[in-house]
Amino acid sequence: MRLVVEGLKAVLLNDLGGQGVDEPLSETGFKQAAAAGIFLNNVKFTHVFSSDLTRTKQTVHGILEKNKCCQHMTVKYDSRLRERKYGVAEGKGLSELRAMAKEAGEECPGFTPPGGETLDQVKMRGIDFFEFLCQLIWKEADKKESCSLETPSNCLATSLAEIFPLGKSCASKFNSDSSAPELVASVLVVSHGAYMKSLFGYFLNDLECSLPETLSKSELTSVSANTGISLFIINFEKEREVKPTVQCVCMNLQEHLKEMTETC
């Protein structure tokens, strides 16, 4: 079974927002969310998930209100998609976090401030959500098949191939191989920088995700910019013992922000 997961980072505060600082978007943040929505306005989503923090809620609604076919979709808010918890460092600047780490004889990002989450804890939250998502899609596909309903057509794949610059080179991978599983879901996930970096690390290291040749090493290790967009194609089986195969189409894409940068 094949699905597409599109991860998008919410607009992040300059300070460490974490989970405890639940501030709304700035004026720039609303503009960036709208720009992402315009960029994605032709993409047909079957599911939309978001962190339940204010900045992600506002970001996802800024995206959907620009979408031509998904404006009224129900967003499922999930606390497993929250940003890493930074404990006593929340609301402080990154320089202060680095100073705390230095004082403790450690380095960022591996340092865990008092009351914060370890990187392993963040990773386990990501794995838990990912496995839940795969099982949800499989159960829904099973239900549709048993009710003799049609599964989503290749319009899902077409909408992606038309929108993503890097997706065009992968269009044939969606449709040309008749033996390939049908694309059954196109999922939008809106979360946070450190969380998504951890989840993508799981894709890359644990699931041995294949990467586009154009992706640089710095892009693999960096935290996404605000509203950076990443697209993954995932093939999976119902049995949990069978490891999913993951293909990265693009990571931390920022094409939609070019016009904003040029007008500043």
Side-chain angles (χ1 to χ4, degrees):
M1 187 169 295
R2 174 175 292 190
L3 68 99
V4 165
V5 174
E6 185 174 343
L8 189 144
K9 176 196 168 186
V11 180
L12 189 64
L13 306 173
N14 289 330
D15 295 332
L16 293 168
Q19 299 181 15
V21 180
D22 194 17
E23 294 288 339
L25 297 183
S26 64
E27 182 180 351
T28 298
F30 280 110
K31 290 179 179 178
Q32 290 175 326
I38 292 169
F39 183 74
L40 299 170
N41 68 351
N42 284 319
V43 176
K44 296 176 176 65
F45 299 112
T46 57
H47 303 73
V48 180
F49 290 89
S50 169
S51 158
D52 60 353
L53 298 179
T54 299
R55 56 190 183 271
T56 35
K57 288 182 176 181
Q58 293 176 328
T59 298
V60 75
H61 283 290
I63 294 167
L64 291 181
E65 68 181 9
K66 300 293 184 181
N67 195 282
K68 293 179 180 178
C69 54
C70 301
Q71 288 184 353
H72 304 296
M73 282 194 71
T74 299
V75 180
K76 296 180 180 179
Y77 300 107
D78 197 313
S79 61
R80 287 173 295 189
L81 294 172
R82 286 183 179 186
E83 179 60 292
R84 180 185 180 188
K85 185 177 180 181
Y86 285 97
V88 298
E90 291 191 353
K92 302 182 184 298
L94 183 57
S95 60
E96 292 180 81
L97 177 65
R98 287 171 175 162
M100 289 183 192
K102 184 176 181 180
E103 187 176 348
E106 299 180 39
E107 294 183 359
C108 292
F111 170 66
T112 303
E117 282 183 294
T118 66
L119 292 179
D120 282 343
Q121 288 173 324
V122 178
K123 178 181 177 181
M124 291 310 299
R125 273 202 289 127
I127 294 173
D128 186 42
F129 173 78
F130 176 66
E131 291 182 346
F132 151 79
L133 180 60
C134 290
Q135 291 303 309
L136 173 68
I137 300 302
W138 190 276
K139 287 178 182 178
E140 289 182 351
D142 263 356
K143 185 176 180 180
K144 288 178 181 178
E145 186 175 343
S146 66
C147 295
S148 299
L149 295 177
E150 292 185 2
T151 54
S153 68
N154 283 336
C155 68
L156 292 178
T158 301
S159 72
L160 290 163
E162 289 176 349
I163 298 301
F164 285 90
L166 294 180
K168 292 178 182 178
S169 64
C170 298
S172 60
K173 295 181 182 180
F174 281 113
N175 299 318
S176 65
D177 185 357
S178 60
S179 65
E182 183 182 20
L183 180 64
V184 298
S186 176
V187 183
L188 172 65
V189 178
V190 181
S191 185
H192 308 267
Y195 177 89
M196 285 195 161
K197 182 179 179 182
S198 175
L199 181 59
F200 297 165
Y202 169 66
F203 287 171
L204 295 170
N205 300 318
D206 296 66
L207 300 183
E208 300 177 329
C209 172
S210 62
L211 300 169
E213 294 179 359
T214 55
L215 199 63
S216 67
K217 187 175 181 180
S218 62
E219 289 176 297
L220 289 175
T221 56
S222 64
V223 174
S224 174
N226 290 342
T227 67
I229 300 171
S230 302
L231 183 68
F232 295 86
I233 304 168
I234 299 163
N235 290 293
F236 65 99
E237 303 293 336
K238 187 175 184 179
E239 294 76 15
R240 290 175 179 265
E241 293 77 16
V242 180
K243 186 166 68 173
T245 59
V246 183
Q247 175 193 351
C248 176
V249 176
C250 63
M251 188 178 290
N252 303 335
L253 192 70
Q254 301 175 53
E255 293 293 320
H256 55 290
L257 299 178
K258 280 187 176 180
E259 187 172 336
M260 285 187 61
T261 304
E262 290 169 359
T263 56
C264 289

